[in-house]
Each structure stands twice: as C-alpha cells, then as structure tokens.
Amino acid sequence: MQPRHYYMLTFSGLLTLSVGSLFLGAQALTLSGLLNDPQKLQLLLISRLPRTLATLLTGASMAVAGVIMQLLVRNRFVEPGTTGTNEAAMLGLLAVTLLAPDWPIVLQMTIAALSALAGTLGFLHLSRRLPPQQPLLIPLVGLIYAGVLMSIATFFAYQFDLIQFIGVWMSGEFSGVLAGRYELLWLAGALSVLVYFAADQFTIAGLGQGLAISLGLRYGQIVALGVATVSMVSALVIVTVGALPFVGLVVPNVVSRLMGDNLRQSLPVVAGIGGGLVLVCDMLGRVLRSPYEIPAGTIFGIVGAVVFLSLLLGRRSHA
Amino acid sequence: MHDISLPAPPAYRGNSPHPLTNRHLWALALALVVACGVFLFWGGGWQSSYILQLRLVKLGGLLCVGASVGVATVLFQTLTNNRILTPAIMGFDALFLLMKTVLVFFSTALSLQFWDNTTVFLGDTAMMIGATMAIFAAVLRRARHDIQLLVLVGVIFGLLFRTITGFLQRLLDPSEFAMLQADMFAQFGGIDRDALTIAATLMGALFIWLAGSHRRLDVLALGRNSAQSLGLRYDRLQLQVLAAIAVLVSVSTALVGPLAFLGLLVSALTHSLMRSHRHGLLLPAAALIACLILVTGQTLFERILNLQSSLAVVIEFCGGLLFLTLLARGKIK
Amino acid sequence: MIDVSHLSYVIADHQILNDITTQLPRNQITALIGPNGAGKSTLLGAIARQLTPSVGEVRIGGENLTQIDPQVLAKRMAIVAQQLHVGSRIRVADLVGFGRWPHSQGRLSAADNAAISDALKRFDLTALHHRFLDELSGGQRQRAFLAMAYTQDTDWLLLDEPLNNLDLKHARSLMAHLRQMVDHGGKSVVVVLHDLNFTLAWADHVVAMRAGQVVFSGPTTEVATSIALSDLYQTEIEVTSLNDRRFALYHR
C-alpha cells in the first residue's frame, strides 16, 4: 500500500470513531434530540466533544512522544512510560503539590515538565553507557530506573499521605474531562505538529549521531528538541488525564512494521492510530460496565501488553 | 620473553566443605540472632506479653519472608543461569496477586466465604503453581536461550498481570475488594497469625526437600547440556525448582505483598560474600542475609526513625539503585 | 588539503591518538593503513568531527574545522562509518535521499532526484530501492550507505573500511568509482583499508599508523615498500610487481 492509502484509512477510521464517541455514553444522545433539545446540545458541547477531543489529542501526542523517544534512544522498546519520564513528571507534581499547592496549573505543569526533562536526560545518559549490541537491556534498565524514581515518589507520598494522588496520575482516565478542564492538551497536540516539521531531522537522528553529523545536522539540538517535546507532552498528559502506558510503545512499533520509520511519511499515521486506539479503549471503558466506567488506561494496558508481547516473541522468527 | 616465576598454586584439597563449617554462615546466623533480640527487646514494652506476642508474630513474618525471598531468588537465578533476574522482576508476585484476584472474583461461585484461611491460602498457592507452569511451558521456554528477551517478556507479563488485576478489581464489589486490598502493597504491619503458621509449615517442608537436593542444584546450574550429560534429569528438576519458586513467592507475597528488588539486593550481597557456586552455602546465606536486612531495616524504621513509610519502599529504592550501579559499571552483562 | 596537526585523543586513560601530524593531499585517494587498534578509525572520526580531539586541530583548505558551520561542512565532507548498526526501518531510496539533505533540507528538487537515481544505479541498488535496510545483507546495506555519501556530493569523502562486507565484484567496482570521482570529478577520498593489495592497486597516497602514531606517509609507490610494510605489520611482507602492477605477498 502507498502512504496515501494509509492516510485515507486512518482518517476515515478516526472520523467514524469520533462520531461514535460523541453519541456514546450514560445519557442517550440522538441526532434528532440534538436538533430539538438545547440541553442535549449542551451535553455534546460541554462533555462529549471535549472528551472525544481530549482522548484523540492524548493518544496522538503520546504515540508521537513514543516514536521520538525510540528514535533518540535508537531502540524500539522504549517510550516515556519505560524511561522514567512519567515517573519524573510525577515526582515534580508531587513536589509542587507538597510545597506550593496554590500555584496556578500552568506553573505546576511547568515544574512537572522540567522534572520530566531531568528524568529523561538521566535515562539518556544511562542508556548511552549500555552496549548497543544488547538492545533489550535498554528497556529493562529503563523500567528499573522508572521503578527507582517511583519508589522515591511513593516514599514521600506515604510520608505526607498523598498516595491517592499517585493513583490518579498513574491511571489515564477521561471520565472527568469537561470543557474548560482539558484545554492544556491542545498544547500537546501543537507540540506533535511541531515535531512533524522536524520529521526529517528526527529520522536522521534515528540513524545515529555519526551519520547526523556527517549530514550537517546539529545533533545536540535535535536531541534537545526531542527530549523537551517528550517531557512536555508527558507532563501535560499526566496533569490533565493521567499516564497512559504502552501507547507510545505499541503504536510506533505497529506503524513501523507497516510503513517503516521515515517520519515524514509515517508520523500522521502514528498520531492517527494512537488517537484512534485510545478512543476505542475509552469507548470500551464506557460500555463494558456501564453505568460505571473503566479507565481507558487500564484497557489499553491489557491490549498494549498483549500486542507488545506478540511483537517481542514474534521478533525471533522474524530475525 | 619475560621469565616470571609464579608462586606455586595451593594444592587441591577438595571443594565440598560442609555448610556447618563455614565461618560466614555462622557469622550471619549470629548477627541475625542479635538483630532479632534487638527487634524484640529494644525500647522497652516487651514486659507486656501482648506487645511481645505482637512483635513475635511480626518477627516470624519477617523471617519467613526473608528466607523465602532469598531462597527463591537464588533458585531462580540458578534456573535461568544469570545473576540479574529475580522472580519479582519476572512478574511472579504480580501473577500471585492476579490469581488471588481471580479467586476472589469468582468467590461467590466458589462460595469462598465458607472456606477457612488455610484452604484459601492453599488454593491461591495451587493456582499459582499451575499458572507458573503453564506460562513457562507456553512462552518462557521458547525465550529461554535469549536472556534479555526472557527478562523483557517477564517484565511485560508483570505489567500485564498488574493491569488485569486492576481491571478485575474495578469489576469487584467493594466488599469483595476489601478482601484483597491488604495484599496490594508491601506491608510488614499486619501479618496474619494463621497465614504465618501455614507459610512456615510449607516452607519447612520445602527446605527439607532443598536440604536433600542442593547438590543436584549445583549440577543444574551448569546448564542443560552439561547437566544432562552428567546424568541429571534436567527437565524434571527444572519443573520441581519452578514449583518451589512458585510456592516461595506465594508465601512471601501472601504475607507482606510484592517486593520487587529485595531479591536483587540479597543475591548481589550473597554472591559477593560467599564466592561459591555451592547451593549448600548459597541458599542458607541468601536466606540469612535477606532476614538480616528485613529485621534490621524494620527495627530501624519502626523503633528508631519512627517513619511511617513502609520499609519495602526503601528496599525497592536501594535494590534498584544497586542494580543500576552494577549495570553502569559493566558488572552485569 | 586536510592538515592534521598535533592531534591527540585520550579516552579513559587510553591514548588512542598520540600527537599526530600529517597531511592528506587533495584530489587523490589516500589510504589509511596499519594493524588493528592503530587508531585509523579514530583519526578518520576526528577529521570528520565525529569526535572531539583532546589536543590538536584539523584544518580543511586552511580553515579550522571547528570554525566551519556544520551545514556548510556537510557539503564539503561526508563520512561512512564502519559500524552501520541501524535500528530504524528506512527504505534504501529514502536513505540515499538523505544524502541530499545538506543541499535541500528535505525538499527534493528534480536535480536531487536525478542524483539519487544516479547513485542507486552506480551502487547497483536500483532493484533494491524500495526495500527496508533491515531486510538487506551486510554488503547491500554497506552499499546503501556508500550511495548516500556519494549523493552528498562533497569535495571530501571519508570511508572507514568500506570493503568489509563487499564481495569481489562490488569491492572492485567501489574502488573504480572512487578512482573516477578523483580523476574526473575533482574529489578527494580518504579510505581506511585492510587489504594491502587494494591499497597498492588504487591508493595514490598512504598514511601508515601504529599504536596511535603515524609510522610513515607519502606517495604509495615511494613509501609502501617491503621493508616499511613488514615493519608496520610486524610480519613478513614482500612487495613485488607483475605486469606493471604491484602486489603484496604475505599469505605464507
């Protein structure tokens, strides 16, 4: 298939899902109701539409963050959730919650993003010391690194009785999304678009530092841009809806299988499939045990782990 | 050519000393006895038989958990022939929590409320052994030759188990959920006396088996090909060891909850102290070291620092940090 | 001309390069030769600014390397490294296309596409152009990277053991391409070579290294003698000629 076929498929899939998501929920919503009842229109504008948009933005930007991380580390098996980025962001949030709880959300966000930045740089530093011939060591180290950061967070959360906050940040959930409470996510979406303009640079960086330098790229700048983007996106997502593990891992891997790693071509599909999959999980979470909801993060955790395992175990026969 | 005269190597005097003659083991045992004494009697209050009894149960719990984590880790590392894996990293305790959740999930159908604690515990353990075997047979056996793949698959399985557990818990009634909550975080506070008795019995039986077969474990550690050509029934022993690990993980997880990196800490310390591959030495040393860490740590946290934080969190931190340091120094390949 | 003066490179107490001063002539094929661990790849990397030397400097056409803007430098010098470990799934044509990056910043013109197509043809990759790199053999992948560097169309081309994975036919055709680029395209080539016979057959200039130092350098016909080479490799090597071509005999 040509790239444009993938674009068309992704786009039409997203459109169908989004419309479905608008009309799916505890309160029934129909097209005729929408036209006749102003209250229903309110429901659409205040709850359903923001929720659908938030889900799409989160999924898309997490998938993009994942692909950037993979190119920078030059390893298929990393994403912000396995490199300590999320945990570091949580540490920053925890510090703000403890020390300056009345700061405006934008400032809290900034602290979280800076902390995520430090955590990600720490991981990059660690990963550069590992032998490149053992690609699976990197995600393993990342998971343990994340575990160490997490234990620091848990320690302080325990001391100051903030464990329930960690629980909220850890599980991505869209049921609380209303108009006025998700708009930060547009920033994450904007960052993903920004990444698209530097798509070629990231692709080249993914081919290695030496090659990037030989082609006249300022490698350090690309890494800085990538790490900053990934940290910001992760912090934004954690602050607004909570961490969504596996999105950044699974989606880029699947897309890479289908159409390779030339970001200029594949990035729109990565973002589209990321948004679509998260939306599917959120919709499943709405219907599986209605009127209760199951967090999208939980459902994606299960789906993502199964897909990832099959990628891992399937890799052997491929190689 | 340089002519260097080397000192004559020491003569071979046999290499199978009896564990009871090992100085390190005696020193560890002595240190543990002292630590237990401090735990029981430090800071007064032990004159009250109620408090003393409370502390005794807690101490029993710590010792059981320490011994099972230490032994399980050494066994697991022997089985997988490497020094960086622990059952917890590979998602064993997450599996136990999943099995427990599954059992509770179907509790109404199984009329679980009429079961006594012993039966529930044995039921959990039996399911744990079954699930371990099934997963090993289905997946891990295939990945066995590629250690890194094995680890990553295990880690992902752990995440998967945890997520499914969380998913199932969302589907539970609040009353059912209460049955589980205590097991979800590592806690040394509320150890159940009944559970302790069963755990101790199970472990006693297991340790008797280990005492009889530790020499075969030495051969198992050589790897499949060598072990088989030496006449060991490799596959059978492998499954037995796996079952033993499943039991030990069930014991420690049921008593205090998941402990991811304690095993890592213990195994690193054990190997650097004992410098031996003999399981007759390694197993007791690992058990003693783990107990020592837990008892001293708990004394420190509970009596001296008065910290609320669970000891488990700090052990996680230290274990993970040690692992990363070893990796960064290139000690682990 | 590339001027290397008093270049040293130390990593973790190991002196990889020790006060190297040498000149690489323009419009020639220069071969870097020497035993394993001599520092040939490190020298090449330092010249291509892949690593920062501890002491010393490199000048290209009289300009200090560190003073040149990376984008400008990328139009003057390309390097193909020895380790071509690639994690990404990139198509051959896309990779070769990245060779035009310094010129077009990703917006390929018709001329760029013609250059890419020419490089694919030259390196025998036309039939493979739609394949992913990870689906290629070692030699094919090597050729893809060579084609990329070729497409970069730089004055200087630095190659680290380019013959490593290539079969006889492609090794010979690569050297012939280089020869042609030098003789008719006005290019200059620096290449790390392990095969002495290829060195004698194709290189105009030789820089011989051992233990981080230059042992000898100069025009191939003058300096690559039996005595010098035997000393360099610490093994018996006889340089002889047959039909006006020079050979190194060291096989037995």
Side-chain angles (χ1 to χ4, degrees):
Chain A
M1 282 205 289
Q2 294 287 318
R4 66 195 157 87
H5 295 139
Y6 286 112
Y7 296 156
M8 264 151 41
L9 266 179
T10 315
F11 183 72
S12 49
L14 273 187
L15 205 63
T16 321
L17 283 172
S18 306
V19 172
S21 161
L22 290 180
F23 291 93
L24 184 75
Q27 266 201 51
L29 198 62
T30 59
L31 208 54
S32 65
L34 214 54
L35 293 173
N36 302 324
D37 188 350
Q39 266 196 328
K40 298 278 181 186
L41 191 65
Q42 282 288 26
L43 174 71
L44 182 78
L45 291 181
I46 290 179
S47 164
R48 294 286 167 76
L49 186 63
R51 179 171 187 163
T52 306
L53 287 173
T55 316
L56 289 175
L57 285 170
T58 306
S61 52
M62 283 310 288
V64 170
V67 88
I68 297 298
M69 207 63 207
Q70 291 172 13
L71 288 175
L72 292 186
V73 184
R74 299 184 70 199
N75 187 297
R76 286 234 163 280
F77 302 116
V78 297
E79 64 137 16
T82 62
T83 54
T85 309
N86 284 349
E87 284 73 13
M90 269 183 236
L91 262 178
L93 273 181
L94 197 65
V96 178
T97 314
L98 271 175
L99 303 173
D102 12 299
W103 280 9
I105 181 119
V106 177
L107 260 181
Q108 297 198 0
M109 208 342 269
T110 313
I111 300 292
L114 286 177
S115 173
L117 192 72
T120 314
L121 287 177
F123 174 76
L124 276 183
H125 182 71
L126 205 61
S127 74
R128 296 270 141 95
R129 306 186 64 157
L130 298 173
Q133 307 87 335
Q134 302 191 3
L136 293 177
L137 205 56
I138 288 179
L140 182 64
V141 168
L143 284 164
I144 292 176
Y145 175 72
V148 169
L149 291 181
M150 195 63 201
S151 71
I152 301 177
T154 317
F155 180 88
F156 286 107
Y158 238 101
Q159 289 297 319
F160 300 100
D161 227 1
L162 293 170
I163 283 285
Q164 77 273 22
F165 278 88
I166 299 245
V168 171
W169 294 327
M170 283 278 282
S171 63
E173 176 156 41
F174 298 93
S175 61
V177 171
L178 291 172
R181 281 170 60 180
Y182 81 104
E183 279 73 4
L184 272 178
L185 287 173
W186 282 106
L187 192 55
L191 286 170
S192 310
V193 175
L194 192 74
V195 165
Y196 184 68
F197 286 111
D200 280 341
Q201 278 99 323
F202 281 114
T203 309
I204 294 176
L207 291 168
Q209 183 173 4
L211 196 139
I213 292 176
S214 178
L215 288 178
L217 238 64
R218 294 178 197 271
Y219 185 75
Q221 283 180 8
I222 297 292
V223 172
L225 176 67
V227 171
T229 312
V230 168
S231 307
M232 292 264 288
V233 165
S234 308
L236 282 164
V237 167
I238 286 174
V239 168
T240 39
V241 293
L244 277 163
F246 285 116
V247 178
L249 198 61
V250 169
V251 177
N253 271 295
V254 170
V255 176
S256 166
R257 286 269 162 120
L258 294 175
M259 47 190 307
D261 284 330
N262 193 346
L263 275 199
R264 183 78 81 88
Q265 284 172 10
S266 66
L267 202 67
V269 180
V270 168
I273 292 188
L277 274 185
V278 175
L279 191 56
V280 167
C281 290
D282 185 50
M283 287 161 73
L284 274 179
R286 280 184 247 172
V287 293
L288 275 184
R289 193 168 154 77
S290 92
Y292 303 108
E293 291 207 6
I294 299 165
T298 306
I299 295 182
F300 203 101
I302 297 173
V303 177
V306 171
V307 174
F308 190 52
L309 279 175
S310 55
L311 284 178
L312 268 181
L313 293 171
R315 207 177 62 108
R316 281 175 62 82
S317 54
H318 182 75
Chain B
M1 275 275 133
H2 297 283
D3 194 32
I4 302 167
S5 58
L6 291 166
Y12 180 76
R13 291 204 184 84
N15 67 346
S16 187
H18 196 272
L20 288 180
T21 62
N22 186 288
R23 278 179 302 130
H24 291 304
L25 282 185
W26 279 108
L28 282 174
L30 193 68
L32 183 59
V33 169
V34 173
C36 290
V38 172
F39 179 80
L40 285 177
F41 303 118
W42 179 278
W46 52 272
Q47 293 87 346
S48 144
S49 73
Y50 173 72
I51 291 184
L52 189 64
Q53 210 169 35
L54 220 60
R55 286 185 188 169
L56 270 173
V57 171
K58 201 183 253 184
L59 181 66
L62 290 173
L63 293 180
C64 263
V65 171
S68 56
V69 169
V71 170
T73 306
V74 171
L75 286 180
F76 193 69
Q77 297 191 343
T78 297
L79 198 68
T80 51
N81 213 348
N82 84 95
R83 295 273 174 85
I84 64 170
L85 292 186
T86 72
I89 291 183
M90 299 290 287
F92 272 62
D93 47 8
L95 180 64
F96 178 77
L97 290 180
L98 175 61
M99 289 299 120
K100 207 168 165 54
T101 312
V102 167
L103 208 61
V104 173
F105 192 71
F106 295 109
S107 61
T108 327
L110 295 166
S111 18
L112 204 65
Q113 61 270 34
F114 302 119
W115 294 19
D116 58 37
N117 281 349
T118 317
T119 325
V120 172
F121 190 99
L122 290 178
D124 287 342
T125 311
M127 280 181 71
M128 172 75 183
I129 296 174
T132 310
M133 298 287 171
I135 290 173
F136 181 78
V139 182
L140 298 185
R141 197 186 274 263
R142 258 195 289 166
R144 168 176 66 185
H145 301 292
D146 185 344
I147 281 300
Q148 293 184 43
L149 181 66
L150 183 75
V151 177
L152 200 59
V153 168
V155 169
I156 302 297
F157 262 119
L159 287 176
L160 177 65
F161 296 151
R162 268 184 278 277
T163 323
I164 298 180
T165 308
F167 176 73
L168 288 178
Q169 282 167 3
R170 290 266 170 177
L171 304 179
L172 286 177
D173 290 327
S175 64
E176 291 173 326
F177 182 66
M179 296 171 74
L180 282 170
Q181 208 170 12
D183 290 331
M184 291 299 144
F185 295 101
Q187 284 282 10
F188 295 97
I191 288 168
D192 181 51
R193 256 178 103 164
D194 288 342
L196 184 61
T197 321
I198 315 161
T201 321
L202 268 179
M203 284 176 57
L206 206 68
F207 286 176
I208 292 174
W209 176 72
L210 283 175
S213 46
H214 66 84
R215 287 185 188 81
R216 286 196 290 148
L217 293 176
D218 298 343
V219 183
L220 185 82
L222 295 177
R224 188 192 174 83
N225 292 341
S226 312
Q228 270 183 342
S229 75
L230 287 173
L232 190 79
R233 294 164 88 166
Y234 186 87
D235 289 333
R236 207 180 67 164
L237 186 59
Q238 195 180 36
L239 285 181
Q240 286 169 348
V241 171
L242 206 60
I245 294 168
V247 171
L248 290 169
V249 172
S250 306
V251 165
S252 72
T253 316
L255 283 179
V256 301
L259 283 167
F261 300 143
L262 173 64
L264 220 50
L265 199 63
V266 171
S267 114
L269 292 175
T270 305
H271 283 291
S272 70
L273 180 71
M274 300 309 288
R275 299 187 181 287
S276 164
H277 63 279
R278 297 260 155 199
H279 287 76
L281 298 177
L282 285 178
L283 291 174
L288 287 171
I289 289 175
C291 289
L292 199 58
I293 292 176
L294 287 182
V295 175
T296 334
Q298 188 67 18
T299 314
L300 207 66
F301 264 67
E302 193 182 295
R303 306 291 168 68
I304 298 170
L305 298 176
N306 262 321
L307 278 176
Q308 289 176 27
S309 275
S310 158
L311 168 64
V313 179
V314 177
I315 291 178
E316 295 292 273
F317 178 72
C318 297
L321 212 57
L322 175 82
F323 181 83
L324 292 180
T325 322
L326 289 178
L327 260 180
R329 287 217 199 131
K331 293 271 168 63
I332 296 172
K333 296 246 165 54
Chain C
M1 183 146 79
I2 291 181
D3 266 298
V4 177
S5 56
H6 303 292
L7 200 72
S8 289
Y9 186 69
V10 182
I11 186 165
D13 291 341
H14 289 289
Q15 182 104 26
I16 311 286
L17 297 181
N18 188 1
D19 194 29
I20 291 206
T21 300
T22 191
Q23 290 175 341
L24 310 175
R26 255 192 77 83
N27 209 2
Q28 290 193 4
I29 294 182
T30 301
L32 289 182
I33 61 170
N36 293 336
K40 305 181 294 284
S41 297
T42 312
L43 178 60
L44 206 68
I47 293 172
R49 210 164 49 172
Q50 306 262 332
L51 40 89
T52 318
S54 317
V55 189
E57 60 172 28
V58 179
R59 288 177 170 275
I60 171 167
E63 268 181 282
N64 192 328
L65 201 64
T66 51
Q67 307 295 320
I68 308 176
D69 183 273
Q71 280 195 16
V72 175
L73 189 67
K75 294 182 199 167
R76 292 172 63 176
M77 181 195 280
I79 182 169
V80 178
Q82 192 182 351
Q83 294 274 337
L84 299 173
H85 162 82
V86 178
S88 339
R89 272 163 68 79
I90 294 282
R91 293 184 200 280
V92 172
D94 287 345
L95 180 79
V96 176
F98 281 131
R100 296 307 296 170
W101 171 267
H103 306 272
S104 63
Q105 305 297 314
R107 277 175 288 277
L108 297 179
S109 65
D112 289 330
N113 279 318
I116 295 165
S117 163
D118 173 49
L120 288 172
K121 216 173 292 165
R122 267 175 192 273
F123 289 89
D124 205 7
L125 291 165
T126 309
L128 302 173
H129 83 275
H130 203 59
R131 293 264 284 274
F132 286 114
L133 281 184
D134 59 355
E135 296 165 353
L136 301 183
S137 74
Q140 291 169 331
R141 200 173 311 151
Q142 179 111 16
R143 270 151 50 207
F145 278 91
L146 289 167
M148 187 192 91
Y150 177 80
T151 318
Q152 213 171 323
D153 193 24
T154 50
D155 300 337
W156 287 87
L157 187 58
L158 314 183
L159 308 174
D160 195 352
E161 297 196 22
L163 305 182
N164 250 1
N165 293 309
L166 300 187
D167 57 32
L168 282 179
K169 171 188 156 194
H170 287 108
R172 180 175 174 181
S173 109
L174 171 68
M175 294 314 288
H177 280 316
L178 296 179
R179 184 77 262 166
Q180 196 218 348
M181 283 161 67
V182 168
D183 291 348
H184 303 289
K187 311 284 186 191
S188 314
V189 172
V190 184
V191 54
V192 176
L193 285 179
H194 259 305
D195 191 320
L196 278 182
N197 285 316
F198 271 94
T199 308
L200 293 173
W202 298 100
D204 309 302
H205 188 88
V206 167
V207 176
M209 293 178 67
R210 190 173 62 211
Q213 288 175 312
V214 174
V215 182
F216 60 83
S217 66
T220 313
T221 42
E222 291 173 24
V223 298
T225 60
S226 299
I227 297 167
L229 291 176
S230 301
D231 175 61
L232 178 68
Y233 286 97
Q234 297 282 303
T235 185
E236 204 172 304
I237 297 169
E238 189 190 336
V239 176
T240 173
S241 60
L242 179 68
N243 299 343
D244 269 354
R245 293 204 194 153
R246 307 212 309 145
F247 292 91
L249 299 177
Y250 48 82
H251 308 90
R252 55 175 295 173

